[in-house]
Amino acid sequence: VKTILTIHDLNFILAPQTMPFTNLCAHRLFFRKDLMRADSIVCNSEGTASRLTHFFGIDASAIVRPWVNDFFKTVDQKKIYSILQKHNIRPPYILTVAFLEPRKNHPALIKAFLSLKKSGNLLDYRLVLIGGGGWKNKSLLKTIKGQQDIISLGYLEDTDIRSLYAGADIFILPSLYEGFGMPVLEARACGS
């Protein structure tokens, strides 16, 4: 059977401290073997492909960049207002969309946000976090809990995310490392 291996990132090499232990071990044990067995290797970005060559001496057979579904587009103000009310969000706001896990670098974003507010900048702004689950996030959840201007919405349906992208004054993806970074494309498609 011919196999095509798709590589989204090399997180286990570039940011291993952000991974759950078992996931990291699995990558370290099997990744190179999977590379050797694959008939073709596809990467989702030139960055991932060049890192593959750098770290493993193997070239990708192809680079296939992700695309954004046509669903992600600008929406009318009434729809944005409706979704903002549904989630009790008052503009202006800064938005980030990512699992609550170490690689996404939420602590740095929150620290910067709170520092800017304290210094008199962004006084009227809220920070809206969309993203559920995750790991190694107990400290992050504790930090968020008492903050009046930080709204953590967890997992949301795309219909709500689309409107929140469109209504955001600022979109930020503060990740330590991404193979591609789909939320940036989604946010841009929605006009953020």
Side-chain angles (χ1 to χ4, degrees):
V1 175
K2 297 273 186 181
T3 60
I4 298 174
L5 177 64
T6 302
I7 300 174
H8 294 280
D9 60 53
L10 295 173
N11 192 40
F12 78 103
I13 294 172
L14 298 169
Q17 73 283 4
T18 67
M19 297 178 71
F21 180 72
T22 54
N23 197 346
L24 177 61
C25 288
H27 274 79
R28 287 183 174 164
L29 286 172
F30 301 113
F31 190 81
R32 186 178 297 276
K33 291 175 188 173
D34 289 343
L35 287 174
M36 297 303 144
R37 282 194 295 245
D39 294 296
S40 292
I41 299 172
V42 175
C43 291
N44 66 350
S45 69
E46 289 181 32
T48 300
S50 68
R51 288 180 187 100
L52 178 69
T53 302
H54 174 77
F55 288 113
F56 296 96
I58 296 173
D59 294 329
S61 307
I63 298 170
V64 179
R65 291 172 192 83
W67 60 279
V68 176
N69 188 309
D70 291 340
F71 174 81
F72 288 100
K73 60 186 176 188
T74 56
V75 295
D76 66 55
Q77 290 299 316
K78 286 182 184 179
K79 183 66 176 166
I80 294 170
Y81 181 73
S82 168
I83 297 300
L84 291 177
Q85 279 192 314
K86 175 181 173 181
H87 295 289
N88 199 27
I89 298 170
R90 181 176 39 88
Y93 63 95
I94 298 167
L95 177 67
T96 189
V97 177
F99 279 106
L100 300 179
E101 53 109 333
R103 182 169 48 103
K104 303 304 182 176
N105 205 19
H106 289 94
L109 173 60
I110 290 168
K111 182 178 179 182
F113 175 75
L114 294 174
S115 176
L116 286 167
K117 286 192 80 71
K118 187 176 181 179
S119 69
N121 298 295
L122 302 177
L123 285 176
D124 295 332
Y125 279 83
R126 263 131 321 278
L127 176 60
V128 177
L129 310 174
I130 298 174
W135 48 90
K136 296 183 181 179
N137 60 14
K138 288 180 183 173
S139 176
L140 173 66
L141 295 172
K142 187 176 178 181
T143 301
I144 293 169
K145 192 170 185 170
Q147 297 299 327
Q148 195 172 344
D149 289 328
I150 299 176
I151 303 163
S152 182
L153 299 175
Y155 171 83
L156 294 179
E157 296 294 327
D158 284 347
T159 51
D160 288 9
I161 294 174
R162 177 179 64 185
S163 293
L164 290 168
Y165 276 139
D169 285 56
I170 302 168
F171 175 78
I172 296 178
L173 186 67
S175 294
L176 296 172
Y177 167 69
E178 291 288 335
F180 188 83
M182 281 300 296
V184 174
L185 285 186
E186 293 171 353
R188 288 183 67 194
C190 294
S192 186

